Amino acid sequence: MLYESLSQPYVFLCMVAAGIFCGFLFDFKNIFLLIFKKNKTISHILMFFAVFLTFSTLFAVNLKTNYGQVRFFTLLSFFLAFSLQRFFVTNFLANPIAKCYNKIKGRRNERKIKKNEHV
């Protein structure tokens, strides 16, 4: 059997790990945008670095594990893992966190209103 076909599971797992890591880059971008209050200039700069690091990571992992050969399954595994990470974090993690944040924020606002009414 050829060496390239023996290393395909390893290449697949490395590409999946790289795709998940790159998905978290975009999550960090969104967190930094919350800190900077959604400034458009900073948003574009962070998006540029996230995309640049994503393609750099794809290139580096492909070069290291697959010896630079670009194959369909490597790109598919990377982008599938990236897409699944973005889907699950956006739908199943970010929405419940936002709901909890809104409940806490609403309770604080209610306390402030009650406190101001009594004064």
Side-chain angles (χ1 to χ4, degrees):
M1 204 176 240
L2 293 173
Y3 180 72
E4 289 86 11
S5 61
L6 290 175
S7 65
Q8 284 181 354
Y10 174 70
V11 171
F12 177 77
L13 290 176
C14 288
M15 286 295 177
V16 168
I20 291 171
F21 169 74
C22 290
F24 282 116
L25 287 175
F26 285 89
D27 291 332
F28 291 136
K29 177 195 75 83
N30 291 335
I31 291 170
F32 283 130
L33 283 180
L34 291 175
I35 294 170
F36 292 117
K37 297 181 172 86
K38 297 187 179 183
N39 186 346
K40 286 189 178 187
T41 305
I42 294 174
S43 173
H44 289 291
I45 292 170
L46 291 175
M47 180 65 80
F48 170 76
F49 282 118
V51 170
F52 178 75
L53 287 174
T54 298
F55 283 113
S56 298
T57 304
L58 174 63
F59 177 75
V61 170
N62 188 40
L63 186 64
K64 181 74 174 164
T65 60
N66 205 18
Y67 306 108
Q69 293 179 350
V70 179
R71 296 182 182 173
F72 180 71
F73 88 93
T74 58
L75 296 176
L76 180 68
S77 62
F78 179 84
F79 287 113
L80 185 64
F82 177 79
S83 300
L84 286 174
Q85 189 276 342
R86 297 296 301 143
F87 175 76
F88 282 117
V89 166
T90 303
N91 290 331
F92 298 115
L93 189 62
N95 287 340
I97 289 173
K99 288 178 184 177
C100 291
Y101 174 78
N102 289 336
K103 284 183 182 180
I104 292 170
K105 188 89 167 170
R107 288 181 186 163
R108 283 187 183 171
N109 289 339
E110 289 174 2
R111 288 180 191 162
K112 286 182 181 178
I113 292 171
K114 287 181 182 178
K115 186 178 179 181
N116 289 337
E117 289 175 356
H118 294 294
V119 173

